Amino acid sequence: RDAELRPGGGAVRILVTGAAGFFGRHLCRHLQAAGEEVVGTGLGGEIAPPGVPLHTLDVRDAAAVAAVIHRV
């Protein structure tokens, strides 16, 4: 099943909303430890976990979310 999700055999890029929050930070670390590529979002002013690029946006802004998904 993993082969279907990973056509190139590499890491899956995962977008985590609230990556700098309590749950998001732990989720990012867990995903990184599993070898996944993690990209995060936050409202701004937060510090992302090490190695996680953080995009500042409000998830209620559909256009901003679409733009980040397109870039990622």
Side-chain angles (χ1 to χ4, degrees):
R1 181 173 182 201
D2 282 346
E4 295 172 18
L5 297 174
R6 302 165 194 252
V12 173
R13 185 175 300 146
I14 300 171
L15 180 66
V16 176
T17 60
F22 180 78
F23 291 110
R25 179 175 292 277
H26 288 283
L27 177 60
C28 289
R29 289 181 182 151
H30 176 77
L31 291 169
Q32 285 178 313
E36 308 303 355
E37 181 182 348
V38 182
V39 177
T41 68
L43 290 173
E46 301 117 342
I47 299 172
V52 176
L54 188 67
H55 297 270
T56 301
L57 63 87
D58 186 332
V59 295
R60 297 172 294 180
D61 182 347
V65 172
V68 167
I69 290 172
H70 182 70
R71 285 193 310 251
V72 172

